């Protein structure tokens, strides 16, 4: 079967969609060349949901079977017309009959250049009042450690040098099967081979619970020093209304504990601006938190009321206020990034090249997962580079020499 794929949303949803396509047949790159059209959907905010529905209407014009995977058929099935093939996320591990062919989506592998993205669990243990992902993906179901191990071995045998583990909450991994993220990672990191592991998004509530073993495994040379941990707000009352399950103090404790053992770790966090109940004082708490933590990556989202969630009918702050708050946070963040990247110009450091970049260049990564653009390089290789310039969100490097690996101990 020839499958045309479009995938949207988080790295988990994108990986699962391509794994589904991979297990269905040959991936082709235009709808005209395909027998079947597959779209991996996201509904995290209303704007994205509308985009998905519009794209499905456009794909239907090709008069070929349209398969709709992901969070739309899982949380908003009622929005889909009967002439599509809906595959909700909980079918990812099951035997699915698609157009007469029996397949198991999780048998596929998603690789792009030398990067393999491997989902390690579906769902989470949270009940955040704004979150439709909980409705789409439900309660935590971790994927077996042996299945993950086999996937990683397969990816390495196919040339992967970067393994990305994705989930709604990687820190909750294994809680439903008597293991844990650090335990699973130790097994992966004992594999021989030249690869780096990127640990995906985790929730502060779960990270706090396993903090010491988590920091220990982050210390392994095979793990990128990159921590993606959404805080969502710097105000405790808003965190309580969101039902996030931690306080600002606990969040900052996580960050300072990590930084005390891994000094130059890259912090990535998310903020929801305009949550019901937020006023100027609450926003100032968030602004000051960002000023203190200085995250290099900051994903700012305006609150989007989602159906079926507790916060759906709650009254939001005025649009003008929210616009102003978002603009102030974005400006602060631009300053934080500029300052950090500029401070690295002139420095030498090891990098790995897991993928191509734009305009025929290469996108290398430092140990802290900072993006370094290289003119000439080879995918899958390790180099020592000098940082010669800094852009708004990336560095530019010059290759000094090829290296054997990024990991000191191999
Ligand atoms: S932890 Fe909260 S925000 Fe994250 S997926 Fe679960 S319910 Fe949604």
């Amino acid at each position: 079967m020839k499958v045309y794929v479009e995938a949207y949303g988080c790295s988990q949803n994108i990986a699962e969609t391509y794994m589904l396509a991979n297990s269905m047949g040959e991936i082709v790159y235009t709808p005209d060349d395909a027998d079947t059209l597959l779209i991996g959907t996201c509904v995290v905010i209303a704007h994205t949901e509308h985009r998905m529905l519009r794209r499905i209407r456009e794909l239907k014009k090709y008069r070929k079977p349209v398969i709709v995977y992901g969070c739309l058929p899982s949380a908003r099935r009622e929005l889909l017309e009967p002439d599509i093939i809906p595959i909700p996320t909980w079918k990812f591990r099951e035997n699915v009959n698609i157009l007469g062919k029996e397949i198991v989506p999780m048998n596929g592998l998603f690789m792009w250049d030398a990067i393999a993205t491997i989902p390690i669990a579906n769902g989470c243990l949270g009940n955040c009042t704004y979150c439709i992902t909980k409705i789409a993906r439900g309660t935590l179901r971790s994927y077996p450690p042996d299945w993950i191990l086999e996937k990683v071995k397969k990816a390495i045998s196919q040339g992967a040098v970067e393994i990305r583990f994705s989930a709604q909450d990687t820190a909750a991994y294994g809680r439903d099967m008597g293991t844990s993220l650090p335990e699973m990672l130790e097994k992966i990191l004992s594999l021989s081979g030249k690869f780096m592991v990127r640990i995906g998004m985790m929730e502060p509530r779960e990270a706090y619970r396993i903090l010491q073993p988590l920091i220990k495994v982050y210390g392994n040379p095979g793990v990128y020093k990159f921590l993606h941990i959404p805080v969502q707000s710097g105000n405790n009352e808003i965190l309580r209304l969101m039902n996030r399950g931690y306080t600002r103090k606990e969040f900052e404790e996580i960050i300072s504990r990590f930084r005390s053992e891994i000094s130059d770790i890259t912090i990535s966090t998310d903020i929801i601006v305009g949550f019901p109940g937020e006023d100027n004082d609450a926003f100032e708490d968030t602004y000051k938190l960002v000023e203190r933590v200085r995250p290099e990556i900051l994903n700012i989202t305006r609150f989007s009321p989602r159906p079926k969630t507790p916060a759906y009918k709650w009254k939001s702050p005025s649009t003008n206020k929210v616009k102003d708050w978002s603009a102030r946070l974005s400006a602060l963040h631009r300053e934080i990034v500029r300052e950090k990247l500029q401070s690295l110009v002139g420095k030498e450091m090891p990098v790995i090249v897991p993928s191509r970049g734009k305009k025929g260049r290469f996108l290398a990564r430092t140990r802290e997962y900072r993006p370094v653009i290289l003119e000439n390089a080879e995918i899958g290789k390790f180099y020592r580079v000098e940082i010669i310039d800094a852009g708004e969100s990336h560095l530019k490097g010059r290759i000094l020499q090829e290296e054997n690996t990024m990991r000191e101990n191999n």
Side-chain angles (χ1 to χ4, degrees):
M1 192 190 296
K2 290 186 173 165
V3 190
Y4 169 75
V5 193
E6 285 182 20
Y8 300 89
C10 61
S11 58
Q12 164 125 4
N13 205 50
I14 292 169
E16 290 175 353
T17 306
Y18 276 95
M19 289 169 80
L20 169 57
N22 193 245
S23 50
M24 286 168 63
E26 181 202 347
I27 294 177
V28 294
Y29 297 93
T30 70
D32 295 318
D33 297 339
D35 310 314
T36 307
L37 313 179
L38 166 62
I39 179 170
T41 57
C42 168
V43 290
V44 71
I45 57 173
H47 173 76
T48 310
E49 180 180 283
H50 299 149
R51 260 183 70 211
M52 298 297 108
L53 293 168
R54 193 171 54 246
R55 192 62 193 132
I56 292 167
R57 285 194 296 276
E58 289 163 2
L59 289 173
K60 282 205 275 190
K61 292 182 184 146
Y62 288 91
R63 302 194 175 291
K64 296 178 180 181
V66 175
I67 299 168
V68 179
Y69 177 78
C71 292
L72 182 55
S74 313
R76 304 279 277 147
R77 178 74 183 81
E78 66 278 11
L79 297 177
L80 292 168
E81 285 156 9
D83 59 354
I84 55 98
I85 302 168
I87 303 187
T89 64
W90 50 86
K91 293 273 183 192
F92 180 70
R93 308 173 61 157
E94 298 175 11
N95 226 323
V96 186
N97 185 306
I98 297 184
L99 303 164
K101 189 176 176 189
E102 292 291 329
I103 60 151
V104 179
M106 85 185 288
N107 290 349
L109 178 68
F110 173 46
M111 275 199 49
W112 182 67
D113 287 344
I115 300 172
T117 304
I118 299 172
I120 61 171
N122 196 13
C124 70
L125 295 173
N127 281 299
C128 305
T129 53
Y130 54 83
C131 183
I132 196 168
T133 311
K134 180 71 186 188
I135 293 156
R137 291 183 171 271
T139 297
L140 177 75
R141 270 146 307 139
S142 303
Y143 300 158
D146 292 347
W147 175 85
I148 298 171
L149 194 67
E150 286 317 307
K151 274 291 172 216
V152 173
K153 284 182 184 167
K154 189 174 175 191
I156 294 170
S157 71
Q158 294 185 13
V161 294
E162 179 173 305
I163 306 290
R164 297 178 179 179
F165 288 132
S166 66
Q168 274 65 58
D169 182 1
T170 57
Y173 176 79
R175 288 202 57 193
D176 54 333
M177 53 168 55
T179 183
S180 72
L181 178 69
E183 218 173 274
M184 184 272 284
L185 287 170
E186 294 295 356
K187 279 204 193 107
I188 302 295
L189 293 161
S190 66
L191 290 173
S192 64
K194 299 175 185 177
F195 62 95
M196 293 292 288
V197 168
R198 189 190 80 170
I199 302 170
M201 183 169 66
M202 60 179 70
E203 295 292 349
R205 187 193 54 254
E206 292 297 327
Y208 196 75
R209 211 179 41 79
I210 56 169
L211 199 47
Q212 204 40 53
L214 190 60
I215 293 173
K216 181 167 173 290
V217 78
Y218 259 86
N220 183 299
V223 174
Y224 282 120
K225 312 302 171 236
F226 169 83
L227 177 67
H228 181 191
I229 186 160
V231 66
Q232 305 299 13
S233 173
N235 176 270
N236 285 336
E237 177 54 13
I238 297 295
L239 290 173
R240 188 187 66 74
L241 290 169
M242 288 176 168
N243 193 27
R244 293 289 287 161
Y246 54 84
T247 62
R248 177 183 59 231
K249 187 164 172 288
E250 286 162 340
F251 174 77
E252 293 194 74
E253 186 188 335
I254 294 170
I255 304 300
S256 60
R257 291 266 304 273
F258 262 97
R259 282 182 167 152
S260 66
E261 303 201 23
I262 306 171
S263 58
D264 197 24
I265 189 165
T266 294
I267 301 295
S268 167
T269 195
D270 305 6
I271 300 271
I272 293 176
V273 178
F275 191 77
E278 188 171 19
D279 58 14
N280 286 331
D281 291 345
F283 174 74
E284 288 311 322
D285 286 344
T286 299
Y287 190 90
K288 291 195 184 95
L289 175 73
V290 173
E291 269 183 329
R292 287 193 300 276
V293 169
R294 309 193 80 69
E296 275 176 64
I297 298 169
L298 181 62
N299 307 307
I300 302 167
T301 307
R302 295 184 192 177
F303 172 67
S304 169
R306 305 305 291 124
K308 304 176 187 173
T309 65
Y312 185 45
K313 295 262 182 265
W314 297 357
K315 188 171 176 331
S316 297
S318 75
T319 311
N320 287 340
K321 262 198 183 150
V322 175
K323 260 198 197 135
D324 172 51
W325 292 340
S326 308
R328 284 185 57 206
L329 265 185
S330 302
L332 169 62
H333 185 243
R334 275 195 300 279
E335 186 42 42
I336 290 169
V337 177
R338 196 194 60 71
E339 186 189 280
K340 180 67 195 181
L341 296 186
Q342 279 300 333
S343 74
L344 298 170
V345 175
K347 297 238 166 64
E348 286 187 18
M349 55 192 73
V351 296
I352 180 176
V353 184
S355 69
R356 284 160 288 170
K358 295 186 183 125
K359 303 183 188 131
R361 298 192 182 107
F362 295 85
L363 179 52
R365 296 281 179 180
T366 69
R367 277 202 200 98
E368 299 75 23
Y369 205 65
R370 293 191 182 105
V372 181
I373 305 295
L374 299 176
E375 292 297 333
N376 307 306
E378 261 182 73
I379 290 178
K381 289 272 173 79
F382 301 81
Y383 298 100
R384 187 158 197 81
V385 301
E386 180 197 356
I387 303 300
I388 54 175
D389 197 3
E392 274 205 3
S393 59
H394 62 273
L395 299 164
K396 284 195 186 120
R398 178 173 68 85
I399 295 175
L400 299 172
Q401 69 198 50
E402 187 175 333
E403 296 275 19
N404 184 31
T405 172
M406 192 115 102
R407 297 160 66 158
E408 305 303 346
N409 61 358
N410 266 25

